[in-house]
Amino acid sequence: MSTMNLTLLTDLYELTMMQGYFKNNKTETVIFDAFYRTNPSDNGYAIVAGLEQVIDYVKNLHFSMEDIDYLRSLSIFDEDFLAYLKDFRFTGDIFAVPEGSVVFPREPLVKVVAPIMEAQLIETAILNIINHQSLIATKAARVVYAAKGDGIMEFGLRRAQGPDAGIYGARAAVIGGCIGTSNVLAGQLFDVPVLGTHAHSWIMSFPDEYSAFKAYAKLYPEKCMLLVDTYDTLKSGVPNAIKIFDEMRANNIPMPYFGIRMDSGDLAYLSKKARKMLDDAGYYEAIISASSDLDEYLIDSLKTQRAAISSWGVGTNLITSKDCPAFGGVYKLAAIMNEKGEFIPKIKLSENTEKITNPGNKTIYRIYDKETGKIKADLISLVDDTFDEEKDLMIFDPIETWKKTKLKAGTYTLREMLVPIFQAGECVYESPKVMDIRSYCAKELDTLWDETKRLINPHKVYVDLSDRLYKMKSELLDQMSQAD
Amino acid sequence: MSTMNLTLLTDLYELTMMQGYFKNNKTETVIFDAFYRTNPSDNGYAIVAGLEQVIDYVKNLHFSMEDIDYLRSLSIFDEDFLAYLKDFRFTGDIFAVPEGSVVFPREPLVKVVAPIMEAQLIETAILNIINHQSLIATKAARVVYAAKGDGIMEFGLRRAQGPDAGIYGARAAVIGGCIGTSNVLAGQLFDVPVLGTHAHSWIMSFPDEYSAFKAYAKLYPEKCMLLVDTYDTLKSGVPNAIKIFDEMRANNIPMPYFGIRMDSGDLAYLSKKARKMLDDAGYYEAIISASSDLDEYLIDSLKTQRAAISSWGVGTNLITSKDCPAFGGVYKLAAIMNEKGEFIPKIKLSENTEKITNPGNKTIYRIYDKETGKIKADLISLVDDTFDEEKDLMIFDPIETWKKTKLKAGTYTLREMLVPIFQAGECVYESPKVMDIRSYCAKELDTLWDETKRLINPHKVYVDLSDRLYKMKSELLDQMSQAD
């Protein structure tokens, strides 16, 4: 992705609007927030991801001569506007929640503060990138949660929605907790572990299963995982695998990592039977790995059934987030700067209260319980709100406002979640390595109570508004209803 | 995508198997078939797409020094194998069903005939590309079908699973029948129409809705579609739009294409009310366009409710194929050449009869009714099967074999669906332009009966096996059960 000029990766209307702003001399600085309204898969939280690719995209933003020629060919853009595009660069500020963070609905994940033409252009690509990677990172966190400490391998490249979905999906899956991916290009690009052994075609290309296993074990004795379901798992696959392990043991070949993989059939039944056969042959340490249309629910069910599986390859359902394949992030105007340099808050109405946007120049404070380090609530605030951890803090639900909680001084700590990424067009943030984001994400997940992490009907973490933001929003709503 | 080296866009096991074949001197030519087992979204057919990108991928296949260094760093590949990769090129044959064709389960959509190492490597990328684009082209055909002749615009870039999913998803959506896309980069790359006007942020950036409309109409009088739901569709949006149209009419400004767009609310109710307001003002030709989480079912329902909408923007549900976000194509070994140059058929067993593969070197014949030009059935055959349209043809269901049909001589025609794409590593096929593929696809859809195109519970098109293929398969199954 980073090698391709993605400047035209935008909806046409961003460009027609840009020309409109240009023609109307609209150069004011505005604030746009990228946020989402509902956690995917009915989860209790989301994991935000994709910031590094957003940064690459913004850094590389420029209209090539080829791009300009193409836009000219559409016969809707004037030469003065095309001339403006020739020198176009992003000159604004961007703030964002770091990748791998736990986030909740309605929080600004990316905040763009820039001249309106620039802020408008980048809407589509920011949403595309953040929506995709946050979706897959969140799904991965769910699958990893279900596996209760077992390793999850991302195996979905062949079913991903195109090359990028495989590449950046693998990146996001590792951020969400997968131990690695089968995708070699993702391994190369992001320095994450790549995993995999052989397929049925390997077995079928030999005269019989035993010869195929033997050839494989000879070549890869140190990581000897044998696929046992090509012909008959219990009658042929597992006995042949044991024969191979016996030969290796007899020849004193070290076997630091070995076992079998099952890719079909009733995994609960087959894994228990295979476990017994391996144990009876003395291979207590042999790993049983499974990979057959798995998702978090199936893994949870297999765990409940005490399936003897300790390593899981998850493909289609993870890489497409099959039950919920879109994240639903939106990008909404929150304020416009007036001639005096003050931000005038803007609000988008909707008949659905939850869909009314939060106006103004905002940030997010996360409130932790001082004793446990767990998240108590998040507070969307105005940037010039001040809080004092040494004082009591009253928070309340912004829709059901009678739901109030008083946090006693000294029992909570605050952390601002939005950090500067671009300042006046210059990138001021260095993205961590993907494996470091993964570690950070694991720590982030530790700040959630188990009740919020469970797969079904999770406990909701409250996202409240600061007093001043709530008042600003109420006043704007009043004004608009009076104007009616 | 085409500018990036995608050679490592593969599962690690393809490379560990390749090294295994290399070390075991396995250089035999093999046949792999890429096919799928179930139509997505319970559809009656699929539209195959992605071949042009498969061709680009295969043409560009090569391991760069950087790739070799990366593979070396994994400590699982030996220097002799890495040296082999340095000069790696694809030298085999590929056959495929042309893009935009109507296809059915179990038919080989891509057939690779190549030395086993080459055929193995390209599995993952072929599946990734064909699975993605065929999924979206099929979904688009469903949405277009529901719109009964109205134009469908692809608007999903912001919700696509990464940049490629947006770019190649737009390509596939146009192949499946969309009239264009909002995605400017897709427009540039594939020379397809780009569409779009303005967003709520345009309206909100002006002091009021009327000024925003006025500025827009001044700039784009020839394509004046006004977004009417920012504040209140019927009380504010439509009256302001009519005011603008009145002013344009009064000033004799030509309005070749104008109307309103609705992006929220009850589209059936609002569109009928808006239609009446526009008609009462004399704007019978004003277009009403809608775009609000639409899919084929919602469009079908709105059509049934006689919603006054004639133009549709479809986003998330199309670009992710939300109800079924994976196509499920697989790539299976069908034959291995022996020392005499004969293909020895191979079969993959499964407890599920439908999952047993079809062995041998195959092709597909499509059987058309001579009178109507509609598809009667498809016949998966061996490449050396011969058929004579001047003779009666008996076909039968390969699972429920008592289901037989006799086609009388002269009442049917045959067409071979697989065409040569690569011969001995050279590309011998020129991909048509996307808009030409779109036209071809529309003709392909005309070869289906309406009963096969309906959205729910479509009539199944039979895919039968030729006599000789059926016999080969039965004999192989007998042999395997005797070996048990």
Side-chain angles (χ1 to χ4, degrees):
Chain A
M1 190 176 94
S2 54
T3 55
M4 194 167 175
N5 178 2
L6 292 182
T7 304
L8 292 190
L9 189 79
T10 191
D11 291 307
L12 181 66
Y13 78 7
E14 313 287 14
L15 289 162
T16 51
M17 283 190 279
M18 266 179 98
Q19 173 165 267
Y21 299 137
F22 179 83
K23 294 281 186 181
N24 286 278
N25 296 313
K26 284 171 110 41
T27 55
E28 51 267 54
T29 294
V30 297
I31 299 175
F32 274 94
D33 296 325
F35 64 93
Y36 71 105
R37 295 195 183 103
T38 316
N39 291 315
S41 305
D42 295 323
N43 206 35
Y45 62 90
I47 301 295
V48 67
L51 182 57
E52 183 175 1
Q53 283 65 47
V54 167
I55 292 171
D56 287 347
Y57 159 76
V58 173
K59 279 184 181 171
N60 291 330
L61 261 186
H62 71 282
F63 292 85
S64 68
M65 288 312 295
E66 215 180 1
D67 296 340
I68 305 272
D69 286 345
Y70 171 68
L71 294 177
R72 183 179 290 117
S73 78
L74 298 177
S75 305
I76 44 178
F77 299 108
D78 291 345
E79 284 305 322
D80 53 355
F81 176 64
L82 294 174
Y84 159 79
L85 291 184
K86 264 180 210 160
D87 298 320
F88 179 91
R89 289 289 180 281
F90 182 75
T91 66
D93 301 342
I94 296 180
F95 301 82
V97 177
E99 290 193 87
S101 297
V102 162
V103 291
F104 305 102
R106 289 181 298 284
E107 297 180 344
L109 307 180
V110 179
K111 178 173 80 169
V112 176
V113 185
I116 190 165
M117 284 184 268
E118 301 174 25
Q120 189 74 63
L121 175 68
I122 65 181
E123 168 177 19
T124 312
I126 287 180
L127 289 177
N128 173 280
I129 294 166
I130 298 288
N131 275 336
H132 171 229
Q133 290 197 44
S134 302
L135 179 74
I136 306 303
T138 307
K139 186 69 173 180
R142 285 173 63 80
V143 175
V144 168
Y145 177 82
K148 296 184 165 47
D150 294 348
I152 300 287
M153 302 172 284
E154 188 288 297
F155 274 3
L157 175 56
R158 66 191 54 198
R159 300 285 170 79
Q161 297 194 348
D164 280 348
I167 297 167
Y168 298 100
R171 178 183 188 276
V174 170
I175 288 174
C178 288
I179 58 169
T181 174
S182 65
N183 183 335
V184 184
L185 186 51
Q188 182 187 33
L189 290 171
F190 309 121
D191 198 15
V192 297
V194 286
L195 305 160
T197 56
H198 56 265
H200 299 115
S201 55
W202 171 265
I203 311 292
M204 290 164 72
S205 79
F206 283 82
D208 55 67
E209 192 177 49
Y210 169 79
S211 333
F213 283 176
K214 195 171 173 70
Y216 191 82
K218 191 179 166 204
L219 193 59
Y220 302 110
E222 297 190 356
K223 217 170 174 183
C224 190
M225 293 292 292
L226 301 171
L227 178 64
V228 292
D229 71 335
T230 305
Y231 301 113
D232 187 306
T233 302
L234 297 180
K235 285 190 195 159
S236 168
V238 180
N240 276 326
I242 290 175
K243 212 186 281 184
I244 298 294
F245 301 149
D246 285 343
E247 290 171 12
M248 291 172 81
R249 186 164 55 181
N251 289 303
N252 291 315
I253 295 167
M255 294 154 73
Y257 188 96
F258 74 104
I260 59 173
R261 177 163 78 94
M262 298 175 169
D263 193 39
S264 60
D266 188 314
L267 296 175
Y269 171 79
L270 293 173
S271 67
K272 284 184 230 179
K273 286 279 179 188
R275 182 76 268 162
K276 181 152 191 338
M277 291 162 80
L278 288 163
D279 287 352
D280 288 349
Y283 298 112
Y284 303 101
E285 69 281 39
I287 290 157
I288 300 180
S289 166
S291 55
S292 175
D293 259 338
L294 299 171
D295 64 12
E296 65 270 42
Y297 301 107
L298 211 52
I299 292 174
D300 187 66
S301 161
L302 286 163
K303 282 280 179 188
T304 306
Q305 296 171 73
R306 302 179 181 278
I309 298 164
S310 64
S311 168
W312 310 81
V314 184
T316 311
N317 297 316
L318 167 55
I319 205 69
T320 64
S321 187
K322 195 170 184 186
D323 61 325
C324 176
F327 191 72
V330 296
Y331 185 85
K332 297 289 174 190
L333 184 67
I336 301 182
M337 193 178 273
N338 67 12
E339 315 77 48
K340 295 181 212 156
E342 300 156 344
F343 278 117
I344 307 302
K346 290 279 171 176
I347 196 164
K348 163 85 179 71
L349 292 184
S350 171
E351 286 177 35
N352 181 338
T353 313
E354 301 255 326
K355 278 197 163 184
I356 296 174
T357 61
N358 287 317
N361 189 5
K362 301 178 295 294
T363 188
I364 312 162
Y365 286 96
R366 179 149 295 171
I367 310 170
Y368 295 98
D369 183 277
K370 201 164 186 172
E371 202 180 313
T372 60
K374 304 286 183 195
I375 300 174
K376 285 188 91 73
D378 274 10
L379 198 54
I380 306 178
S381 315
L382 295 171
V383 287
D384 49 4
D385 272 325
T386 53
F387 301 99
D388 183 350
E389 291 173 4
E390 302 306 312
K391 288 185 182 162
D392 292 357
L393 177 63
M394 178 76 87
I395 56 174
F396 59 95
D397 185 89
I399 291 166
E400 299 163 301
T401 51
W402 64 91
K403 291 188 179 171
K404 292 184 182 180
T405 310
K406 189 185 200 174
L407 304 169
K408 289 228 172 242
T411 67
Y412 69 92
T413 59
L414 292 174
R415 172 188 170 205
E416 189 174 357
M417 297 302 291
L418 281 172
V419 300
I421 309 296
F422 282 86
Q423 283 180 342
E426 291 301 315
C427 183
V428 295
Y429 181 81
E430 193 173 346
S431 286
K433 289 178 180 173
V434 171
M435 292 307 278
D436 292 337
I437 301 175
R438 181 178 184 274
S439 306
Y440 166 75
C441 182
K443 284 187 201 130
E444 281 284 291
L445 287 165
D446 275 346
T447 65
L448 293 172
W449 298 100
D450 266 345
E451 290 73 12
T452 296
K453 286 190 274 191
R454 70 184 171 219
L455 298 178
I456 294 169
N457 216 2
H459 181 78
K460 184 185 161 186
V461 172
Y462 281 99
V463 178
D464 297 339
L465 305 186
S466 75
D467 280 346
R468 290 177 63 236
L469 175 54
Y470 182 78
K471 273 181 206 138
M472 175 191 278
K473 187 171 182 175
S474 305
E475 283 168 19
L476 275 172
L477 289 174
D478 282 351
Q479 281 172 26
M480 298 197 89
S481 61
Q482 280 163 16
D484 224 17
Chain B
M1 189 177 96
S2 54
T3 56
M4 196 167 174
N5 177 2
L6 293 180
T7 305
L8 292 190
L9 189 79
T10 190
D11 291 307
L12 181 66
Y13 77 7
E14 313 288 13
L15 288 162
T16 50
M17 283 190 279
M18 266 180 97
Q19 173 164 267
Y21 299 136
F22 178 83
K23 294 282 186 182
N24 286 278
N25 296 314
K26 283 169 111 42
T27 55
E28 51 267 53
T29 294
V30 298
I31 298 174
F32 274 93
D33 295 325
F35 63 94
Y36 72 106
R37 296 195 183 102
T38 317
N39 291 315
S41 305
D42 295 324
N43 206 35
Y45 62 91
I47 302 294
V48 67
L51 181 59
E52 183 175 1
Q53 283 66 46
V54 167
I55 292 171
D56 286 347
Y57 160 77
V58 173
K59 278 183 181 171
N60 291 330
L61 261 185
H62 70 282
F63 292 84
S64 69
M65 289 311 295
E66 216 180 2
D67 296 339
I68 304 274
D69 287 345
Y70 171 68
L71 293 177
R72 182 179 291 116
S73 77
L74 298 176
S75 305
I76 43 179
F77 299 108
D78 291 345
E79 286 304 323
D80 53 353
F81 177 62
L82 294 175
Y84 158 77
L85 291 185
K86 265 179 211 163
D87 298 320
F88 180 89
R89 289 289 181 279
F90 181 76
T91 66
D93 300 341
I94 296 181
F95 301 82
V97 177
E99 289 194 86
S101 297
V102 161
V103 291
F104 305 100
R106 290 183 298 283
E107 297 179 344
L109 306 181
V110 179
K111 178 173 81 169
V112 176
V113 185
I116 190 164
M117 284 185 266
E118 301 173 26
Q120 189 75 63
L121 175 69
I122 64 181
E123 170 178 18
T124 312
I126 287 179
L127 288 178
N128 173 281
I129 295 166
I130 297 287
N131 275 335
H132 171 230
Q133 291 197 43
S134 302
L135 179 73
I136 306 304
T138 306
K139 186 71 172 177
R142 285 174 63 79
V143 175
V144 169
Y145 176 81
K148 295 184 167 45
D150 294 348
I152 300 287
M153 304 172 284
E154 188 287 298
F155 274 3
L157 176 55
R158 65 192 53 199
R159 301 285 170 80
Q161 297 195 348
D164 280 348
I167 298 166
Y168 299 99
R171 179 183 188 274
V174 170
I175 288 175
C178 287
I179 57 168
T181 173
S182 65
N183 183 335
V184 185
L185 187 50
Q188 183 187 32
L189 289 171
F190 309 121
D191 199 15
V192 297
V194 286
L195 305 161
T197 57
H198 57 266
H200 299 114
S201 56
W202 171 265
I203 310 293
M204 291 164 72
S205 80
F206 284 81
D208 55 65
E209 193 177 47
Y210 170 78
S211 333
F213 284 177
K214 194 170 172 68
Y216 192 82
K218 191 179 164 203
L219 194 59
Y220 302 111
E222 297 190 355
K223 216 170 175 184
C224 191
M225 293 292 292
L226 301 171
L227 178 63
V228 292
D229 70 336
T230 306
Y231 301 112
D232 188 307
T233 302
L234 298 181
K235 285 188 196 161
S236 168
V238 179
N240 276 325
I242 289 174
K243 212 186 285 183
I244 297 295
F245 301 150
D246 285 344
E247 290 171 13
M248 292 173 79
R249 188 165 51 181
N251 289 302
N252 290 317
I253 297 167
M255 294 154 74
Y257 188 95
F258 74 105
I260 60 173
R261 177 163 78 94
M262 299 176 169
D263 192 39
S264 62
D266 188 314
L267 297 175
Y269 171 77
L270 292 173
S271 67
K272 285 184 232 177
K273 286 279 180 189
R275 182 74 270 162
K276 182 153 190 336
M277 292 162 79
L278 288 163
D279 287 352
D280 287 350
Y283 299 111
Y284 302 103
E285 69 281 37
I287 290 158
I288 300 180
S289 165
S291 55
S292 175
D293 260 338
L294 299 172
D295 65 11
E296 66 270 42
Y297 301 107
L298 213 51
I299 292 174
D300 186 65
S301 161
L302 285 163
K303 282 279 178 190
T304 306
Q305 296 172 72
R306 300 179 183 277
I309 299 165
S310 64
S311 168
W312 310 80
V314 184
T316 311
N317 297 318
L318 167 57
I319 205 69
T320 64
S321 187
K322 196 170 183 186
D323 61 325
C324 176
F327 191 74
V330 295
Y331 186 83
K332 297 290 176 191
L333 183 66
I336 301 183
M337 194 179 270
N338 67 12
E339 315 77 48
K340 293 181 215 158
E342 299 156 344
F343 277 118
I344 308 302
K346 290 279 171 176
I347 195 164
K348 164 85 179 72
L349 292 184
S350 171
E351 286 176 34
N352 181 336
T353 313
E354 300 255 327
K355 279 196 165 187
I356 296 175
T357 60
N358 287 318
N361 189 5
K362 301 179 294 295
T363 189
I364 312 162
Y365 285 96
R366 179 150 294 169
I367 309 169
Y368 294 99
D369 183 277
K370 202 164 186 174
E371 201 181 313
T372 61
K374 304 286 183 194
I375 299 174
K376 287 187 90 74
D378 274 10
L379 199 54
I380 306 180
S381 316
L382 295 171
V383 287
D384 48 5
D385 272 328
T386 52
F387 301 98
D388 182 350
E389 291 171 5
E390 302 306 311
K391 288 185 181 162
D392 291 356
L393 177 62
M394 178 75 87
I395 57 174
F396 59 95
D397 186 87
I399 292 167
E400 299 164 300
T401 49
W402 65 90
K403 291 189 181 173
K404 293 186 182 178
T405 309
K406 190 185 200 173
L407 304 169
K408 289 229 174 241
T411 66
Y412 69 92
T413 58
L414 292 173
R415 171 189 169 203
E416 188 173 357
M417 297 302 292
L418 282 171
V419 299
I421 309 296
F422 282 86
Q423 283 180 343
E426 291 300 315
C427 183
V428 294
Y429 181 81
E430 193 173 346
S431 286
K433 289 179 181 173
V434 171
M435 292 306 280
D436 292 337
I437 301 175
R438 181 179 183 274
S439 306
Y440 166 75
C441 181
K443 283 187 202 131
E444 280 284 291
L445 287 165
D446 275 345
T447 64
L448 294 171
W449 298 100
D450 265 346
E451 290 73 12
T452 297
K453 287 191 273 191
R454 69 184 170 219
L455 298 177
I456 294 169
N457 217 2
H459 182 77
K460 185 184 161 187
V461 171
Y462 280 99
V463 178
D464 296 339
L465 305 186
S466 75
D467 280 346
R468 289 178 63 237
L469 175 55
Y470 183 78
K471 271 180 206 139
M472 175 192 279
K473 187 171 181 175
S474 305
E475 282 168 18
L476 275 172
L477 289 174
D478 282 350
Q479 282 171 27
M480 298 196 91
S481 63
Q482 281 163 14
D484 224 17

